[in-house]
Amino acid sequence: MSQNLKDSLPKELPIGTLTDHGKEQTKQQSTETTDDKTEIAQLTPADFETAIDAAGFGMFNILLLVAGLPAAMGTVYETSTMSYILPSAECDLKLSLLDKGILNAVTYAGMISSAVLWGYLADIKGRRNLLVVGYIADSICVLGGAFSQSVIPLMIFKYLGGFCMSGPFAVLMTYLTELHGRRHRQRIMMMVGIMFSLATLSLPCLAMLILPYNWDIKIFGLSLHTWQVFVAITATPSILSFILFPFFPESPKFLMSKGRNAEAMEAFKFIYALNTHKSRNDYPIKLLANELTDSTTQDKPVDNSEKSKDIEIKLSNENEVSTIEQDPELGNNKNENISEKDPKASSLRSGFTQLRPLFTKPYLGLSLWVYLLNFCVLLGQNTMRLWLPQLFASINEYEGLAAQQEDEFHETSMCTILEYSVNRTQCQLEAASLAGSDMECTVNVSAATYSNNLIVSAAGLVSYMLAGFLVNLVGVKRILTLCLFCAGCCSIGLYWSNSAATTVALASLFVTMGSISGTSVISASVNLFPTSLRTMIVSLEMMFGRLGSLLGNIFFPALMGLGCIPPFFMISLFMLSGCLMAAFLPLKNKAALK
């Protein structure tokens, strides 16, 4: 280089001038070398965690949470609506105690039957599109249930609604998780819990506004009563979700796991632009790491040495800088071409190949552990939650009778309420079945009927906010263990409850602890398994949890007929068992996604 410099300079210049000129040229070359190193550093492949952190946290994340609220409401409404209409619809539908249990449980039967299908589709086809399809399908099923004129069609539509909602619930959790970095991930999962609490809070509010009225609307030859109007209105959140989610990008974590890095880069740039209010081209990451997990890519790995040589050659030519910036997309096209060459038949084969790790170490024992844990949590949580509106309605009606006959009614213990509820349901069924008899089936529903449910939902919302602050300090595992222990104690404590106020307090604490536990189990699962298995794990985990919900809602009314303590002992047993299993989960706080 020095010889070339001397040859290129005029020979008649003074030696001092030659030296100064050489220093300036050396300094310029040093600056160019530094710029080249900076550009090479920018082109160093970034993994998902680095890329999502570079995209920042801001307006995009806020809008995503806003869109997630109606999605969470749609999920809660699908699984909880029946529990609120039971006191209003028992005369129109001639409901027995077992019918009430089946109506509460049949949605979970639909969710169980479609769990594997949705998990497979989400891990193969992506997250966002399945959210859109799932919520529009659920909207149709909810409206179909609203127009049902008897209990059998209502059960069928509730089953189909559960079939459609199974996917969006699991995909929503995964989608929100994969659009946040590890710094915010656990807190976002608690924000999801707050969304579900807001949805749970809105349902009794809606019931208080609508169900106390006595409407009978004739439309298209069908008779719609108040409870049917209430069911139709609960389709609104699913319709909103169907409208909103197309405006958001596909999960970049999913795209990177499929080798679609060009699309993932565009998603990161979209998030970055919204969060920082800067141009997409200002996004600091220029190249994404190859995370393709397909067997075809594993057989034909990308030659990183050749790629680095190309970068070095391009850096030597200033006229090709724009080509360098597009190089990541050129590199990713190789992966896209590989996946495009696969025939459609290989998609199913790759799906089964993808599931193979679930049946081998180290994921076999861990997955079974998580399945059983969620079975216990949701059996207790959803059984108690779905029967509380019926129990509170019985408490409200029983207290009204107590005010009129003080000599006969002395206390509002849970055992007394259960006995009263069982006897009243049997009498109402006989009155509705025997036309022309002296007995009359009556509906006693007022705004006060749902006031206790409002208290329980509000308590859950406050507790979720507190949990959101604590989760990063103590970790998901400790919160999960503590909440399950508290829920188990509250359940058995209901047996000794001897007043309405005590019952509401214990029920509020139980539902709150159970809800936080349910969300924490999902959060723990997301961090324990890799991206290629994540949605499938969540779907199977929820399948077992919903199996617990199904069995719990059928066993609970059966145990009510046997006595006071069996139903509460059953719930407490499963929650405390879940506490023991949670204590031994191999979970670390703030772990990176696999």
Side-chain angles (χ1 to χ4, degrees), residues 73-337:
M73 292 175 68
T75 303
V76 171
Y77 287 4
E78 180 61 52
T79 58
S80 306
T81 302
M82 291 297 101
S83 63
Y84 284 89
I85 70 166
L86 294 181
S88 301
E90 61 181 352
C91 290
D92 294 331
L93 300 178
K94 301 179 177 62
L95 299 177
S96 66
L97 204 60
L98 182 59
D99 290 334
K100 293 179 179 180
I102 293 175
L103 278 175
N104 276 335
V106 69
T107 300
Y108 294 106
M111 290 180 168
I112 293 169
S113 60
S114 65
V116 176
L117 172 64
W118 281 106
Y120 166 75
L121 291 176
D123 281 332
I124 296 297
K125 303 299 182 182
R127 325 298 198 204
R128 185 194 60 180
N129 292 338
L130 292 188
L131 286 172
V132 175
V133 172
Y135 279 112
I136 188 59
D138 177 70
S139 302
I140 295 172
C141 293
V142 172
L143 293 175
F147 284 92
S148 300
Q149 301 295 297
S150 62
V151 67
I152 298 300
L154 181 59
M155 288 181 179
I156 292 174
F157 278 112
K158 290 306 297 180
Y159 171 84
L160 294 175
F163 188 96
C164 296
M165 185 54 75
S166 176
F169 178 81
V171 173
L172 176 65
M173 292 285 200
T174 305
Y175 186 65
L176 292 178
T177 300
E178 293 180 348
L179 284 171
H180 292 87
R182 74 180 76 178
R183 179 181 176 186
H184 303 283
R185 192 169 296 130
Q186 290 184 341
R187 189 167 293 167
I188 286 300
M189 292 309 293
M190 286 302 159
M191 288 297 297
V192 172
I194 293 176
M195 292 179 190
F196 281 99
S197 292
L198 287 173
T200 306
L201 183 64
S202 66
L203 198 54
C205 292
L206 195 62
M208 292 174 68
L209 292 174
I210 298 175
L211 292 178
Y213 294 96
N214 187 16
W215 295 336
D216 189 3
I217 304 172
K218 304 294 183 181
I219 180 172
F220 302 122
L222 301 175
S223 179
L224 300 182
H225 299 91
T226 306
W227 62 269
Q228 291 167 296
V229 176
F230 173 77
V231 173
I233 291 175
T234 59
T236 305
S238 293
I239 296 174
L240 285 175
S241 299
F242 160 71
I243 295 173
L244 292 175
F245 276 119
F247 293 99
F248 291 88
E250 178 58 88
S251 162
K253 180 64 175 175
F254 167 79
L255 293 173
M256 289 178 69
S257 71
K258 297 301 178 184
R260 296 158 61 181
N261 283 14
E263 297 175 54
M265 180 64 77
E266 290 303 314
F268 284 126
K269 289 180 178 180
F270 176 80
I271 298 171
Y272 173 82
L274 270 181
N275 285 341
T276 62
H277 306 290
K278 296 180 180 179
S279 171
R280 297 189 182 193
N281 295 330
D282 293 334
Y283 181 58
I285 304 298
K286 303 302 180 184
L287 182 65
L288 297 176
N290 179 28
E291 296 186 3
L292 186 63
T293 57
D294 290 347
S295 59
T296 52
T297 305
Q298 293 172 357
D299 296 336
K300 299 179 180 180
V302 178
D303 192 345
N304 292 324
S305 60
E306 292 182 3
K307 191 173 185 62
S308 61
K309 291 178 182 178
D310 293 340
I311 293 174
E312 292 177 0
I313 294 173
K314 290 175 182 177
L315 284 173
S316 65
N317 189 345
E318 294 178 357
N319 296 328
E320 296 183 1
V321 172
S322 60
T323 307
I324 294 173
E325 293 177 351
Q326 295 176 356
D327 184 66
E329 296 184 7
L330 295 175
N332 293 330
N333 286 339
K334 295 179 182 179
N335 295 337
E336 291 175 1
N337 291 336

